[in-house]
Amino acid sequence: MADQLNQGKILSIRSSVVDVQFSVAPQIRNVLTAGEKGEYIIEVFTQLDSNTIRGVALTPTQGLTRGATVTDTGKPFEVPVGPALMGRVFNVFGNTIDKKGNVEGCEVRSIHREPIPLRDQSTVSEIFETGIKAIDVLAPLERGGKAGLFGGAGVGKTVLITEMIHNTVSGHEGMSIFCGIGERCREGEELYREMEESGVLGNTVMVFGQMNEPPGARFRVGHSALTMAEYFRDDAKQDVLLMIDNIFRFIQAGMEVSGLLGQLPSRLGYQPTLATELAELEERICNTKTGAITSIQAVYVPADDFTDPSAVHTFGHLSATIALSRKRASEGLYPAIDLLQSGSKMLMPNIAGERHYKIAQEIRKTLAVYEDLKDIIAMLGISELSREDQRTVFRARRLERFFTQPFFVTEQFTGTSGKMVSREDTLNGCERILNDEFADVPERALYMIGPIEEAKIENVA
């Protein structure tokens, strides 16, 4: 058997990029191993000539030397799939990292798979309720669609994603997969403990490629998680909630890999293949007639600049965009969702319903007028406005406070129990505020409550 293995010698090592010479060059995307125990793992990215390949190491290359023997496994990256994955934590290679032993006897599948053909995709548009007021009314998610959480550092992307996992696993008959791409291990460890304590871990699979890992591992961890999600959608016929934190780190890992491979960068230093690489991942997320992968992706926006190529390319794949605002976070309005910047393709009369559409449009109009009047209020004071404008400002401020909500995952920090609010309850509350039913209720009575009925109780107290 040993003499049938296709083996080669390392010609050069530059950081994570390894050039290897074979008698016959392996195919693109094949996995190569090196070291006594096969501890060095390399993926073939390009063929330089008929004998030489250039690969990217998915493990650290310290200790690897020129002239070392490399073995071609003859197959692409594979990860385990199946029900045994539930409640476990994996790395990019499909190995468990939760110290509970390996997953045995599972089917393994290649992480490189074709998207579902258009003829097999479902063409019905349905709203996916999250129980978070601001999202369900102004940026409703699509079942089987992709939603982006846009925001700079520290405005609450990870907290919002964790809350959605809690709400959807406890409220829907589905399962969730959390994919951490290039994020902090502290967040992953906290998330694991929170899910264990809240009892939702049994319906969740977690896959991590952390900040300290080589760019090759961070670049492939999204494909590993998606392969596991596809099993639950296609074979188990389940609805899957796929959380990706953070899709920008996937783009960033691709940028590092591209630079190491010597490709000429395009605008702002991004890789020339940015659009293709992002599409290869995003196009696999869709719904079929038997199940759906609904994806919510945190998108770090460099320097809060929404014209950055990474943000622009990600926008094109999304059916809903939830923008997080640093200004709202500084005012203590959590979740810090920018109500005017966020939007969804689901917010149409024929999908969301005529009533929902009209209420959402009225909310936007009220908030937009308030935004225009802020400068006048700052200079001259609210008393200088017309009576009608004053009423609009009071409505807008009450709406802003009604869209705040206590989260289940922040109970330990705030001491306030979390609230999950149905879309119907939120629409009723917004409609009553717009009809001036709460004109005499102080603004603070609407802050951090669930359904609108809770405001009156607090006001009486």
Side-chain angles (χ1 to χ4, degrees), residues 199-218:
V200 298
L201 186 63
N203 282 338
T204 309
V205 180
M206 302 175 84
V207 190
F208 288 107
Q210 294 306 130
M211 266 185 173
N212 61 322
E213 295 186 27
R218 286 180 272 126

Side-chain angles (χ1 to χ4, degrees), residues 181-353:
I181 305 179
E183 284 298 301
R184 304 161 189 84
C185 60
R186 167 184 62 76
E187 291 174 347
E189 193 265 342
E190 282 173 7
L191 181 63
Y192 179 80
R193 273 192 287 113
E194 281 165 13
M195 294 179 117
E196 204 166 30
E197 285 163 18
S198 57
V200 298
L201 186 63
N203 282 338
T204 309
V205 180
M206 302 175 84
V207 190
F208 288 107
Q210 294 306 130
M211 266 185 173
N212 61 322
E213 295 186 27
R218 286 180 272 126
F219 190 54
R220 288 294 180 226
V221 70
H223 298 83
S224 298
L226 201 44
T227 303
M228 295 173 184
E230 284 169 339
Y231 167 86
F232 290 104
R233 179 192 65 192
D234 302 335
D235 296 44
K237 308 276 189 276
Q238 278 183 293
D239 279 0
V240 183
L241 182 69
L242 175 66
M243 300 289 192
I244 301 177
D245 187 8
N246 185 310
I247 200 74
F248 171 75
R249 306 285 177 209
F250 166 77
I251 293 169
Q252 200 174 37
M255 183 162 70
E256 290 178 48
V257 167
S258 169
L260 290 167
L261 289 170
Q263 294 174 349
L264 283 173
S266 64
R267 190 170 149 239
L268 296 184
Y270 286 99
Q271 63 271 41
T273 50
L274 167 61
T276 314
E277 288 166 2
L278 192 61
E280 277 177 2
L281 190 73
E282 299 279 11
E283 289 300 305
R284 288 167 63 181
I285 302 169
C286 62
N287 59 346
T288 65
K289 295 169 182 67
T290 55
I293 298 176
T294 303
S295 173
I296 298 165
Q297 307 169 7
V299 187
Y300 168 71
V301 181
D304 290 349
D305 176 15
F306 283 85
T307 61
D308 189 87
S310 63
V312 170
H313 280 285
T314 309
F315 263 125
H317 292 280
L318 305 174
S319 55
T321 54
I322 302 158
L324 296 178
S325 152
R326 197 173 298 282
K327 186 170 180 293
R328 281 180 68 83
S330 67
E331 291 169 0
L333 299 172
Y334 288 104
I337 294 169
D338 190 318
L339 303 171
L340 286 171
Q341 290 271 7
S342 305
S344 167
K345 293 173 184 169
M346 294 292 100
L347 202 53
M348 293 191 278
N350 59 325
I351 299 171

Side-chain angles (χ1 to χ4, degrees), residues 356-374:
H356 184 162
Y357 176 75
K358 282 183 175 168
I359 291 171
Q361 292 302 98
E362 192 60 36
I363 291 167
R364 282 190 193 284
K365 184 177 158 192
T366 305
L367 293 169
V369 170
Y370 176 41
E371 196 63 37
D372 288 343
L373 294 172
K374 275 182 178 174

Side-chain angles (χ1 to χ4, degrees), residues 133-155:
K133 294 186 282 190
I135 293 174
D136 287 346
V137 169
L138 293 172
L141 308 188
E142 179 186 10
R143 178 179 172 269
K146 296 178 273 282
L149 278 176
F150 289 82
V155 290

Side-chain angles (χ1 to χ4, degrees), residues 40-61:
Y40 299 104
I41 299 174
I42 301 161
E43 186 178 9
V44 178
F45 264 67
T46 54
Q47 291 171 331
L48 301 178
D49 57 41
S50 56
N51 303 105
T52 314
I53 63 93
R54 179 163 288 165
V56 173
L58 278 79
T59 52
T61 52

